[in-house]
């Protein structure tokens, strides 16, 4: 799929070959390109095969050029004995397996990457990846910029950094959108590149979530959430919620948090606080009655919870948000 894009071709020789082909060019390239090459030059490696690299184009010095941006893009055909190892590198890396098979060593575990699979790692951490078998064809995408660390921390909560082919049918389209944004010359190129990277990463996070949430217990959790929305004013306990869902309390807490991002008790409190906010704005009921109508009968406890979440008392919230 890369034939339509301007790529620079490099051949690697025997295992002892170095980066002379690349370093010969660094005297005439920009600092941005030198920094990109440092992602590779500063790593330990054994290069076998060839690589096609997307060249760098002058970046406009606008407000987006240091947001989510591409550091380097390469399509590599790696032969047997290829490996790369690095750490303490200011970058995040996506590696998409186009053919053959590779192995990732990361976080104390080994992961196989077959054709169509992808892994996303933090290069600040120790990592290495290598060819498994006779060859490994892979696309390496180094990215950096504001917001990537936060997105990666969400992704890293998953059990594995590898996403399988069946989970990411969208990735080829996302990749094309990124390449198009990078090579199309106009004043909005850095903005489009930032948007393309963010879209790609969010899709990867959601793909993993959808895989987890496709389990057979999801319908029961959805039914429980609907029950909570209809009964949050009642004094519900974890025992009642687990019985309603048909899970143990431990299993319910774990699976509920996977689906919603918070434990059942926190979700219940959020429902009650949202109800209280609506009543404070739209009625003249006293605070104690609003607490009761929201499912929290103890006025002091209600006021404390409200203040913890909104950094203001119910009375202050009413004063600030009531229409004049």
């Amino acid at each position: 799929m890369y034939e339509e894009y301007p790529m620079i071709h490099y051949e690697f020789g025997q295992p002892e070959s170095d980066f002379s082909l690349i370093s010969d060019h660094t005297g005439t390239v920009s600092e941005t390109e030198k920094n990109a090459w440092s992602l590779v030059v500063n790593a330990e490696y054994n290069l076998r095969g060839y690589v096609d690299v997307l060249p760098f184009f002058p970046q406009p010095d606008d407000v987006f050029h240091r947001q989510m941006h591409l550091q380097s893009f390469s399509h590599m055909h790696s032969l047997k004995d290829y490996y790369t190892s690095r750490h303490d590198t200011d970058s995040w890396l996506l590696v998409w397996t186009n053919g053959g098979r590779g192995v990732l060593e990361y976080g104390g575990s080994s992961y196989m990457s077959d054709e169509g699979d992808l892994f996303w790692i933090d290069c600040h951490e120790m990592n290495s990846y290598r060819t498994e078998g006779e060859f490994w064809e892979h696309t390496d995408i180094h990215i950096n910029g504001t917001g990537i660390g936060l997105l990666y921390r969400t992704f890293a909560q998953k059990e594995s950094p590898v996403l399988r082919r069946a989970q990411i049918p969208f990735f080829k389209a996302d990749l094309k959108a990124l390449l198009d944004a990078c090579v199309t010359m106009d004043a909005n190129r850095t903005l489009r590149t930032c948007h393309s990277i963010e879209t790609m990463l969010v899709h990867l996070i959601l793909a993993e979530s959808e895989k987890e949430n496709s389990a057979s217990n999801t319908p029961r959790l959805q039914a429980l959430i609907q029950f909570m929305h209809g009964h949050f004013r009642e004094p519900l306990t974890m025992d009642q919620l687990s019985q309603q869902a048909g899970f143990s309390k431990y299993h319910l807490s774990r699976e509920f948090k996977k689906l919603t991002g918070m434990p059942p008790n926190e979700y219940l409190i959020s429902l009650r606080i949202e109800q209280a906010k609506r009543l404070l704005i739209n009625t003249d009921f006293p605070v104690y009655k609003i607490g009761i109508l929201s499912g929290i009968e103890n006025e002091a406890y209600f006021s404390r919870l409200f203040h913890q979440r909104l950094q203001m008392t119910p009375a202050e919230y009413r004063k600030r948000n009531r229409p004049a």
Side-chain angles (χ1 to χ4, degrees), residues 233 279 287-298 302:
R233 300 171 188 83
L279 292 174
V287 169
Y288 82 90
K289 187 170 184 178
I290 286 177
I292 294 172
L293 292 172
S294 302
I296 307 173
E297 294 191 0
N298 186 297
F302 167 63

Side-chain angles (χ1 to χ4, degrees), residues 29-215:
V29 300
S30 67
E31 285 300 316
T32 301
E33 188 169 356
K34 289 180 182 179
N35 290 337
W37 285 127
S38 73
L39 297 169
V40 184
V41 175
N42 293 337
E44 296 180 12
Y45 55 82
N46 184 29
L47 298 174
R48 299 291 310 279
Y50 62 84
V51 60
D52 294 311
V53 179
L54 187 73
F56 279 84
F57 305 97
Q59 294 284 345
D61 188 16
D62 61 19
V63 295
F64 295 105
H65 82 286
R66 292 195 180 275
Q67 301 301 311
M68 296 186 188
H69 60 272
L70 186 67
Q71 291 176 295
S72 71
F73 183 97
S74 59
H75 175 225
M76 184 173 288
H77 189 100
S78 304
L79 301 178
K80 188 176 181 179
D81 299 328
Y82 160 85
Y83 76 86
T84 294
S85 178
R86 65 167 63 83
H87 65 93
D88 294 330
T89 304
D90 190 19
S91 181
W92 284 265
L93 173 64
L94 303 174
V95 176
W96 183 37
T97 296
N98 305 100
R101 172 178 281 190
V103 176
L104 168 68
E105 304 284 346
Y106 185 66
S109 298
S110 297
Y111 305 93
M112 198 71 67
S113 183
D114 292 301
E115 183 175 352
D117 296 344
L118 175 146
F119 60 79
W120 178 11
I121 59 174
D122 179 358
C123 293
H124 300 86
E125 305 297 329
M126 184 67 200
N127 65 88
S128 65
Y129 40 96
R130 66 180 188 274
T131 299
E132 176 71 8
E134 295 302 315
F135 82 100
W136 180 29
E137 182 187 354
H138 51 102
T139 298
D140 295 12
I141 310 166
H142 279 279
I143 54 177
N144 208 338
T146 305
I148 293 179
L150 178 60
L151 289 173
Y152 181 78
R153 285 194 293 274
T154 302
F155 179 83
Q157 295 175 11
K158 313 305 178 184
E159 295 179 358
S160 170
V162 179
L163 290 169
R164 300 302 173 189
R165 180 176 187 168
Q167 298 171 246
I168 53 172
F170 54 81
F171 184 74
K172 189 173 181 178
D174 282 354
L175 186 57
K176 188 178 188 307
L178 172 60
L179 288 171
D180 288 342
C182 290
V183 304
T184 302
M185 296 297 166
D186 64 34
N188 296 312
R189 182 157 57 94
T190 54
L191 172 59
R192 287 201 316 275
T193 301
C194 175
H195 173 71
S196 296
I197 293 173
E198 183 177 32
T199 299
M200 177 183 290
L201 300 184
V202 169
H203 283 170
L204 295 179
I205 293 170
L206 295 178
E208 181 70 0
S209 298
E210 287 165 4
K211 182 201 74 172
E212 291 181 348
N213 293 339
S214 65

